[in-house]
Amino acid sequence: MESSTEDLQKHVRTYLMVGATLFVFTIVTVLVRTVPFFDFGVPGVDAPDIAFGLVIATFKSSLVMLIFMHLNHERGLIYKVLVFTVAFAISLMGLTLFAQGNPIRPHADVIEHLHVSDVTAADVESKAPGAKAEPAKH
Amino acid sequence: MEIPYTVSARRDTGLFNSKVGIWLFLASEVMLFGGLFSGYVFLRAGVRPGVDLPWPDAVYVHGPFIWLGFLNTLVLIASSVFVVLAWAQLKMRRYGMYQFYMSLVLVCAAGFMVVKTIEYNSKLNHHFGARLSDGTLLDGALVADDSHHCPGDYVTFEADKAVFSLARTGIFRKLDPYFLDFAVLKGGEEMVVNAPGGKQLKGVAELSAWLEEYAAQNPREARVTAGFAKPVTFQFRRKDVFGKRVFPDRVPLFRGNELQGKLIDDTVEIEVHTVDLQMVRDEEKSLAWAYLGEGYKAGYEGHKKEKLNDPLHRRFLEKGGTLPGGQLRIWQHPHPAGEHGGEKAAAGGHGEASAAHGSSDGHGGHGAPVVSIKGSDIHFMGAHGPKFGTYYAIYFTMTALHGLHVVGGALVLAYFLFFGRKLYRKNPEHLANRVEVGGLFWHFVDLVWIFLFPIMYLM
Amino acid sequence: MSATEASHSEAHDHHDGHDHHELSFWQKYVFSTDHKVIGIQYGITSLIFLAIGFFLMMVMRWSIAYPDRPLPMVGDWPFFNKWIGEDGLVTGDLYNMFGAMHGTIMVFLGVVPLAFGAFGNYVTPLQIGAPDMAFPRLNMASYWFYLLGGVLMFISFFLDSGAAKAGWTNYSPLANITDQQYRDLFWTSQTQWLMAMVFLITSSLLGAVNFITTIINLRAKGMTWMRLPFFCWAQLVTGFLLLLAFPPLEVAAVMQLMDRLAGTSFFIPTGLHVGGNMVDAAGGGSPLLYQHLFWFLGHPEVYVLILPGIGIVAEIVANNTRKPLWGYKTMVGAVMVLGFLSFIVWAHHMYLTGMGTAISTFFQTTTVLISIPSVILITSILLSMWGGSIRFTMPMLWATAFIPMFGIGGLTGLPLAFNYLDLHLHDTYYVIGHFHYVVAPGTIFALFAGIYYWYPKQTGRQMNSFLGHLHFWPSLLCMNLIFAPMFIQGMAGMHRRAFDGGAAYEQISSQVYLEQGHPLAVLFNAIFRGGADLPVEVINLNLLTSAGAFLLALAQVPFVINFFLSMFRGAKSDERNPWQGTTLEWMCPTPPPHGNFDREPVAYRGPYEYSVPGEERDFTPQFEPDTRVTEARPLPSLH
Ligand code: HEM
Ligand SMILES: [Cu+2]
């Protein structure tokens, strides 16, 4: 990167501005979470809140990457490495989530028979032999 | 021999070696934290409402931690700015200013770790919860007890018989001394054992000698049972017993040893700040009311009505929305959980606390009800440490790993600060390169926190 | 920094005579930062671990073949007599322990360090014309992390609890709940397995960063990407696989450590019972999370096992057919596609975990796709032989055998890719046969080829070819004796982790399939002795396999002798280029000194210019300036 003193001084101003922006957006996220007036949707945390929080976090992190980490003018090689890395990270998260959301469900008759959809902690516990006074040996 | 391109960039790639290296390293870090975030999403999406412990979005436990996390976010952002300023000063060959900014980075790093310590300490030592066998979750604090360092999980057991394991485990084929260690620690020095064959053994030393002898004579036996001449009372913590479970008539110890007799006391005293009924099928019949009393039940109903009448909630419900699971099934003590040393208000305000179980005898100092829960009613309990559900597990794992990165990064930057002058004199550009590379790592650490903060503290 | 500055500090500007002082013995051979010494350290350590892993396997094979006969010989060894039962039989526990450690040692401490650590370290900088790795001290650190992890893994055998016994995949919750009888869970088998893995992962990560940086930034003048020997391409892609796939395994390891030591429930579902009692854990975790994180590494890892092998074979085949590698550019493309795809096929190891049809279809599709680049690689190597005047030197013998062996391994993977077939074959001996064909007669053969090929570079002597043949032919025979029957056993339904070799299921498993008219069983029955007592036949194949395993051990004796003897007695070949090779490692002195080259290496042409028409010799090395063209071709400017 070019390094004349004037350039660097200009950069320093940019860094300070970016820092200030990051501060402001942090405050905004916290306000949305803590002050009911700013809350979207249902009180408490819900999908819009999560989306909003993540969008802001993504925005903040891209500022850090682009400005502080100089990714706004970096060599092609590094972009290539990062693009693949991010793709794999996303595939890890996405495909595991996909796998979790697409299980083999028992046949409807079986569900009715087993009441699988209706298991509660109490059921689980009541099946625990240890919970009843006399422990059973399997 | 010299390795090329340690200082200057190779022309076709435009990069010096350590810059390639650090970006590759950061790529692997992206996968590391990517894996952890994937774990977070997988676990959170996998929570089965009503079966698994709920995540805190529903239980409102973030409380004061939001502000600690917020503070740390600001601290890390500031340090990120300082590190890039330090680099710019170095590029302008102003060593003094470089030192100034780099010192600020280290101050921020130290501040971050201090805040982190406060936070961990509060979670680990001041918050406690128990999940009862019907799914009721009682959350609050353990009642301090002067006689024990860590109160609450002490068990008293009167043993009249013991089963000693004769298994010679592992490659050293030692007789496992676990029972003897246990006996010494937990008040069994005085015990007198009636060995089979009519011998009376006094104390641990005789017992151990006899066990060795017996084991040698009976190589094919796995265990031997012997009675105590008179019942011995053991007091111990749950973690000293196998599987952390005691039964009314026996206590399994590690490696197949066992005590038999009578359970005297295994109650746990908890100061209740929150009653969470999300995992209970029938709220009316929750064990919580058996311990807290009907007054609190009425309070709970009142709270529920209040919630439903809350204009925000009502507007939302009228629009056809449904409230997320936990919203209506949680009662919180009006002087909220989380901070100790709140006002000494009278209990509840929701009718009388059950006299039999609850009392506000000043243990917690802010009037929350205190209950003594029978061990057999407890399904799982613990401080808000990593054990306490998958949220805490991933919270502690990720923030601790992140903390390690902060410490590691700070050490490297401190090295550049305190030992950089020699290199600066020799080749200032080389030092600038190093600071740039160290800074890249530091920014990455900041970047991870930018995501950790909302997902761990706000959602 | 500016461009002018850059051009001032080129490597060769700093060569001002003999400024290096004498290194002490320790600096030279133990704490060395020289890539060649580190490569040899890696090589020797990993060969020792391969031998240990092999030994564990023989004990297992004995138990499988003769579940009712006491272990011969070793039964009386110190330590050993403690592990086995009083009757001298191999117990199920011991089998589990040796099985888990066999897999772990072979994969993480044997093959990967040999293929990537040893060959990668020794050969890559030489082939790209670099004086050393980009970060020599990091390189040393990565070896020492590896050794630390290895030693820790090894001493876990001598813990009270013995070594890890939950399979090389270390699945939760089994791995979580083992050793619960020990109060101090830290010094127990599974915990130490995880600790050792953390060190090994760290080592691999450091190595990967170093390799990739070196290949990217330290290529010699003129060594453009398309002049890079294929071996270096394979190492580059392997480096990326390690770099990006290992961290999720590290996550899994850290989570499992937390589960064991801090009581978390990452992998413990709500309500888990062990021995009739509820486990003391909050629950809410998922064992499937572990499997996802493990196999996200696991599948790329199998390509880490094979790619360096393919790289070695490619070099040797080109050298010994005296022909350019067929389709070099296609191969480079294929290896990159393969690297990419290997990140998105992992759940083909998890078809039976209850994944739904949509996600199974996705992984089935990517898995079938990934076989295309694999086939391209192997076909290119095969076609390279076409019409060549092949020299069947020792390395070439191994390389030739590699092709069909890897072919069998790869092709038998295809049926596994289809989840309909995998329902039947999963966790049977068929899977064992599949991946062992790829790694044992595949990768291991390629590694032997590499040892025979580069041995003269370090020692200045050739390995003895009589002993070499004595090593090669029995090995080839035994490998097939061992692994071919496994396909038959697997298709008949024999489970992969039975310590008695399935004796307990005699007459049962396949009979059921037969009675139900299971298509594979019926087919099988029709081919082999229609109506005969099938399962016993199947179980008896164990004898064949185990005999093969013991003979294979014998077959390695000539190699060990050869390896040490040839150092002192081997035929001298101290010229720099004993194989008339074209790549840069044949340019430097033998053995290469610290800093490698005695004149500046420059690559003037592609890596495989063999039998170029019009040339006097049948090889035109990369490092020789063009003599035929009168007008000097301008070099691409690189520095
Ligand atoms: C050519 C394409 C390949 C395909 C389509 C393929 C497919 C598969 C599939 C679907 C499985 C899972 C079987 C099961 O557990 O039911 C499997 C297992 C395995 N494969 Fe491959 N494979 C291929 C190449 C390779 C290569 C090149 C290697 C190693 C160098 C390899 C090593 C393994 C290993 C180690 C396992 C078993 C892991 C375990 O369960 O312990 N495979 N393969
Ligand atoms: Cu695979």
Side-chain angles (χ1 to χ4, degrees):
Chain A
M1 105 178 318
E2 265 328 304
S3 50
S4 73
T5 305
E6 296 92 86
D7 279 346
L8 280 164
Q9 237 127 20
K10 232 185 279 161
H11 287 160
V12 166
R13 277 193 296 279
T14 321
Y15 297 146
L16 289 172
M17 301 250 296
V18 170
T21 318
L22 293 176
F23 264 65
V24 170
F25 276 93
T26 308
I27 295 170
V28 170
T29 336
V30 174
L31 283 182
V32 169
R33 176 65 181 89
T34 52
V35 183
F37 178 76
F38 293 108
D39 198 354
F40 313 126
V42 214
V45 180
D46 54 356
D49 287 348
I50 292 178
F52 182 76
L54 289 181
V55 167
I56 289 195
T58 312
F59 173 69
K60 278 162 65 185
S61 58
S62 29
L63 277 184
V64 172
M65 285 192 289
L66 291 176
I67 313 294
F68 289 169
M69 299 172 90
H70 311 309
L71 275 186
N72 52 357
H73 52 266
E74 196 42 273
R75 297 297 169 145
L77 191 94
I78 287 175
Y79 293 126
K80 277 180 215 152
V81 171
L82 288 182
V83 163
F84 281 109
T85 308
V86 170
F88 295 145
I90 289 176
S91 74
L92 172 59
M93 188 179 295
L95 291 174
T96 47
L97 206 59
F98 183 7
Q100 191 181 47
N102 178 237
I104 294 178
R105 296 188 193 286
H107 192 271
D109 299 346
V110 180
I111 294 180
E112 193 170 306
H113 185 64
L114 292 176
H115 305 287
V116 171
S117 59
D118 203 26
V119 179
T120 66
D123 290 341
V124 174
E125 179 65 13
S126 69
K127 289 191 196 99
K132 302 281 163 276
E134 198 45 51
K137 284 271 187 304
H138 288 301
Chain B
M1 178 203 59
E2 194 137 336
I3 307 291
Y5 314 118
T6 40
V7 182
S8 55
R10 180 184 167 112
R11 199 177 297 157
D12 61 347
T13 58
L15 299 161
F16 51 91
N17 294 345
S18 51
K19 192 141 166 194
V20 182
I22 191 73
W23 275 110
L24 291 170
F25 180 67
L26 290 184
S28 91
E29 292 279 87
V30 168
M31 293 308 292
L32 180 77
F33 282 98
L36 286 160
F37 281 117
S38 304
Y40 173 98
V41 173
F42 193 88
L43 290 170
R44 184 166 189 162
V47 171
R48 292 162 298 172
V51 178
D52 301 325
L53 275 173
W55 275 42
D57 70 315
V59 210
Y60 295 131
V61 296
H62 288 315
F65 298 120
I66 290 184
W67 301 106
L68 293 180
F70 175 58
L71 183 63
N72 260 350
T73 312
L74 300 186
V75 168
L76 267 196
I77 291 174
S79 76
S80 235
V81 176
F82 293 144
V83 91
V84 71
L85 290 184
W87 168 79
Q89 300 301 333
L90 209 50
K91 276 285 198 190
M92 294 188 270
R93 305 285 183 265
R94 295 179 189 152
Y95 196 73
M97 289 303 281
Y98 154 72
Q99 284 180 310
F100 171 69
Y101 283 121
M102 200 50 112
S103 317
L104 285 182
V105 175
L106 296 184
V107 171
C108 287
F112 182 89
M113 292 314 289
V114 169
V115 174
K116 189 102 270 165
T117 312
I118 295 173
E119 195 181 320
Y120 273 21
N121 182 43
S122 163
K123 284 202 160 96
L124 288 170
N125 294 333
H126 298 291
H127 291 260
F128 191 89
R131 180 175 167 172
L132 305 188
S133 52
D134 70 335
T136 306
L137 185 67
L138 298 181
D139 212 54
L142 261 190
V143 175
D145 181 332
D146 299 333
S147 60
H148 303 307
H149 197 65
C150 176
D153 65 348
Y154 266 83
V155 175
T156 315
F157 189 84
E158 192 186 86
D160 47 28
K161 245 194 291 176
V163 179
F164 305 103
S165 161
L166 299 178
R168 294 180 172 271
T169 53
I171 53 165
F172 298 113
R173 297 277 146 150
K174 279 189 317 207
L175 210 55
D176 179 29
Y178 182 75
F179 177 81
L180 302 172
D181 295 351
F182 178 85
V184 174
L185 285 173
K186 315 302 165 193
E189 309 94 321
E190 304 295 317
M191 67 192 173
V192 180
V193 177
N194 294 327
K199 239 199 267 174
Q200 279 225 334
L201 309 161
K202 289 198 181 62
V204 171
E206 276 185 30
L207 177 62
S208 91
W210 173 75
L211 276 176
E212 285 289 352
E213 195 183 317
Y214 186 87
Q217 285 163 5
N218 304 279
R220 299 214 161 248
E221 262 172 54
R223 52 177 59 88
V224 53
T225 307
F228 294 118
K230 64 178 192 323
V232 187
T233 305
F234 292 94
Q235 206 182 32
F236 49 86
R237 294 180 46 191
R238 277 190 174 74
K239 74 178 173 59
D240 291 321
V241 305
F242 178 60
K244 296 184 190 150
R245 299 213 171 260
V246 294
F247 299 93
D249 57 345
R250 65 191 180 98
V251 178
L253 303 176
F254 289 90
R255 306 253 189 122
N257 296 293
E258 192 170 280
L259 288 174
Q260 296 178 349
K262 192 164 87 222
L263 183 63
I264 306 287
D265 178 29
D266 68 339
T267 56
V268 178
E269 293 214 323
I270 300 180
E271 182 184 301
V272 181
H273 301 161
T274 307
V275 177
D276 182 343
L277 299 182
Q278 289 178 74
M279 295 176 292
V280 186
R281 203 180 272 172
D282 188 352
E283 304 158 52
E284 301 266 315
K285 296 198 190 111
S286 160
L287 274 176
W289 316 135
Y291 281 112
L292 284 164
E294 293 297 313
Y296 283 91
K297 188 167 166 186
Y300 170 77
E301 302 291 343
H303 145 89
K304 199 162 171 177
K305 238 177 247 142
E306 212 172 273
K307 270 260 150 104
L308 283 172
N309 284 331
D310 179 87
L312 264 175
H313 281 94
R314 211 176 48 222
R315 204 173 51 205
F316 190 75
L317 288 171
E318 276 163 9
K319 279 194 198 155
T322 45
L323 291 175
Q327 298 279 321
L328 292 175
R329 308 194 73 177
I330 293 167
W331 170 82
Q332 278 184 304
H333 190 265
H335 304 286
E339 282 133 317
H340 277 259
E343 319 105 73
K344 280 194 202 277
H350 300 288
E352 70 290 316
S354 158
H357 300 287
S359 66
S360 53
D361 52 9
H363 275 316
H366 43 71
V370 172
V371 295
S372 289
I373 306 169
K374 277 197 301 225
S376 57
D377 279 343
I378 297 173
H379 167 139
F380 171 82
M381 65 174 178
H384 285 190
K387 274 189 79 160
F388 201 73
T390 42
Y391 165 74
Y392 289 95
I394 192 99
Y395 164 85
F396 275 99
T397 307
M398 288 195 80
T399 52
L401 265 181
H402 178 266
L404 278 182
H405 279 74
V406 170
V407 172
L411 284 178
V412 171
L413 294 180
Y415 179 79
F416 295 159
L417 173 60
F418 296 119
F419 299 94
R421 192 182 288 276
K422 208 171 128 207
L423 184 60
Y424 182 73
R425 293 237 180 81
K426 205 171 106 200
N427 188 346
E429 196 57 28
H430 198 172
L431 182 63
N433 282 352
R434 286 193 171 180
V435 170
E436 183 182 358
V437 164
L440 282 174
F441 178 75
W442 193 258
H443 295 308
F444 178 78
V445 173
D446 181 25
L447 204 140
V448 170
W449 185 260
I450 285 178
F451 281 101
L452 275 183
F453 173 55
I455 71 161
M456 290 297 178
Y457 295 81
L458 300 180
M459 305 176 173
Chain C
M1 79 211 44
S2 61
T4 43
E5 233 178 70
S7 57
H8 275 310
S9 56
E10 287 179 354
H12 38 98
D13 283 358
H14 295 281
H15 278 292
D16 43 356
H18 297 278
D19 58 349
H20 29 39
H21 52 283
E22 270 306 304
L23 296 170
S24 72
F25 171 82
W26 289 93
Q27 281 170 311
K28 217 165 165 181
Y29 297 110
V30 182
F31 297 103
S32 171
T33 54
D34 184 337
H35 73 98
K36 298 175 294 298
V37 178
I38 296 175
I40 292 168
Q41 287 175 329
Y42 259 116
I44 291 174
T45 320
S46 56
L47 282 171
I48 292 172
F49 276 116
L50 281 177
I52 296 174
F54 197 96
F55 169 74
L56 301 179
M57 176 275 279
M58 288 202 291
V59 173
M60 291 156 66
R61 281 311 322 179
W62 178 270
S63 170
I64 292 172
Y66 306 111
D68 47 3
R69 283 195 220 168
L71 201 61
M73 296 186 291
V74 293
D76 299 332
W77 289 8
F79 284 124
F80 228 87
N81 48 9
K82 316 278 182 185
W83 278 326
I84 55 181
E86 279 183 6
D87 36 13
L89 299 182
V90 175
T91 61
D93 267 352
L94 184 68
Y95 183 90
N96 282 347
M97 181 162 111
F98 278 19
M101 292 306 276
H102 164 75
T104 306
I105 287 178
M106 285 302 197
V107 171
F108 296 111
L109 292 164
V111 175
V112 174
L114 187 55
F116 188 68
F119 283 108
N121 247 314
Y122 193 94
V123 179
T124 312
L126 296 179
Q127 282 197 337
I128 64 172
D132 205 317
M133 293 292 240
F135 310 112
R137 269 174 297 177
L138 214 60
N139 202 13
M140 178 177 86
S142 96
Y143 171 74
W144 284 99
F145 272 120
Y146 158 63
L147 190 66
L148 202 65
V151 168
L152 205 58
M153 203 60 102
F154 184 69
I155 57 178
S156 74
F157 275 114
F158 304 101
L159 292 174
D160 217 15
S161 61
K165 34 189 130 27
W168 82 280
T169 51
N170 218 38
Y171 273 6
S172 281
L174 179 64
N176 288 31
I177 61 176
T178 353
D179 306 329
Q180 292 297 331
Q181 281 291 347
Y182 294 86
R183 191 161 174 237
D184 179 9
L185 271 182
F186 186 78
W187 288 109
T188 54
S189 60
Q190 298 296 136
T191 312
Q192 289 311 311
W193 189 91
L194 293 167
M195 297 298 291
M197 280 311 286
V198 170
F199 286 119
L200 294 177
I201 294 169
T202 310
S203 156
S204 289
L205 287 178
L206 295 182
V209 167
N210 213 344
F211 272 69
I212 302 171
T213 309
T214 306
I215 295 177
I216 286 176
N217 238 25
L218 296 193
R219 278 167 293 128
K221 208 183 250 175
M223 182 59 81
T224 56
W225 287 110
M226 280 304 140
R227 289 181 181 173
L228 208 58
F230 185 73
F231 175 79
C232 295
W233 275 109
Q235 291 288 347
L236 183 68
V237 174
T238 308
F240 272 107
L241 296 181
L242 288 173
L243 186 78
L244 302 179
F246 253 130
L249 180 72
E250 191 150 22
V251 171
V254 167
M255 285 179 169
Q256 211 177 60
L257 262 182
M258 291 290 284
D259 274 4
R260 285 178 73 81
L261 298 180
T264 57
S265 346
F266 283 115
F267 306 134
I268 300 184
T270 304
L272 180 71
H273 280 62
V274 176
N277 291 322
M278 177 92 87
V279 170
D280 176 63
S286 165
L288 287 187
L289 177 60
Y290 180 84
Q291 296 196 17
H292 280 298
L293 292 172
F294 181 88
W295 287 115
F296 187 85
L297 161 90
H299 192 83
E301 177 77 11
V302 306
Y303 287 97
V304 171
L305 294 171
I306 195 69
L307 285 183
I310 296 186
I312 293 171
V313 169
E315 296 296 308
I316 293 173
V317 165
N319 179 273
N320 286 289
T321 52
R322 318 305 289 164
K323 277 183 61 198
L325 211 51
W326 193 89
Y328 165 78
K329 282 190 182 165
T330 323
M331 285 178 75
V332 170
V335 77
M336 287 201 276
V337 171
L338 191 112
F340 178 83
L341 283 177
S342 70
F343 282 97
I344 49 173
V345 298
W346 77 84
H348 62 215
H349 297 272
M350 298 169 60
Y351 286 146
L352 263 67
T353 58
M355 293 196 310
T357 46
I359 184 75
S360 290
T361 308
F362 174 86
F363 280 109
Q364 170 173 315
T365 312
T366 51
T367 307
V368 174
L369 280 180
I370 202 172
S371 59
I372 297 172
S374 314
V375 169
I376 290 178
L377 289 179
I378 205 68
T379 315
S380 295
I381 292 179
L382 196 61
L383 285 179
S384 302
M385 300 224 218
W386 184 263
S389 53
I390 303 175
R391 309 187 304 203
F392 277 108
T393 57
M394 245 5 268
M396 186 60 180
L397 273 185
W398 292 99
T400 317
F402 169 89
I403 299 170
M405 294 296 107
F406 173 74
I408 294 174
L411 289 180
T412 50
L414 273 177
L416 297 174
F418 296 96
N419 54 63
Y420 164 70
L421 286 170
D422 192 53
L423 288 186
H424 179 65
L425 295 172
H426 178 70
D427 264 354
T428 66
Y429 263 86
Y430 183 92
V431 175
I432 309 288
H434 152 64
F435 70 79
H436 278 93
Y437 256 104
V438 193
V439 263
T443 303
I444 301 270
F445 274 20
L447 295 176
F448 278 133
I451 293 177
Y452 283 93
Y453 186 58
W454 280 298
Y455 191 88
K457 185 83 248 171
Q458 176 61 24
T459 60
R461 291 169 191 270
Q462 293 279 4
M463 282 175 91
N464 181 296
S465 112
F466 173 72
L467 285 173
H469 280 86
L470 212 56
H471 177 202
F472 172 73
W473 292 105
S475 293
L476 182 62
L477 183 75
C478 291
M479 286 285 189
N480 287 288
L481 214 57
I482 298 171
F483 297 118
M486 291 189 182
F487 292 126
I488 299 168
Q489 293 182 316
M491 284 192 281
M494 190 168 131
H495 188 268
R496 69 188 273 193
R497 285 189 169 116
F499 81 104
D500 59 358
Y505 295 96
E506 206 172 321
Q507 314 280 349
I508 301 175
S509 54
S510 299
Q511 207 60 47
V512 173
Y513 283 118
L514 271 181
E515 279 159 15
Q516 290 175 346
H518 189 283
L520 275 174
V522 171
L523 182 73
F524 182 89
N525 199 34
I527 298 172
F528 299 86
R529 326 182 167 225
D533 197 5
L534 189 66
V536 175
E537 302 280 309
V538 165
I539 288 172
N540 284 347
L541 286 175
N542 284 335
L543 298 177
L544 196 61
T545 299
S546 292
F550 301 130
L551 290 177
L552 183 62
L554 276 185
Q556 304 315 302
V557 175
F559 171 72
V560 178
I561 297 175
N562 200 352
F563 189 84
F564 290 106
L565 204 67
S566 300
M567 261 181 227
F568 310 103
R569 293 282 175 80
K572 270 217 161 68
S573 72
D574 55 358
E575 42 169 322
R576 297 183 178 206
N577 194 353
W579 305 110
Q580 292 89 42
T582 49
T583 41
L584 289 188
E585 79 266 34
W586 306 115
M587 165 190 176
C588 52
T590 297
H594 195 44
N596 294 344
F597 294 92
D598 48 4
R599 61 193 159 91
E600 201 206 348
V602 178
Y604 293 96
R605 57 177 61 74
Y608 304 112
E609 307 257 317
Y610 286 104
S611 308
V612 179
E615 286 281 339
E616 281 169 28
R617 297 168 307 174
D618 66 351
F619 68 109
T620 321
Q622 278 190 295
F623 44 85
E624 281 182 11
D626 217 322
T627 44
R628 282 177 306 139
V629 187
T630 38
E631 219 173 290
R633 243 188 284 157
L635 278 177
S637 68
L638 278 172
H639 282 262

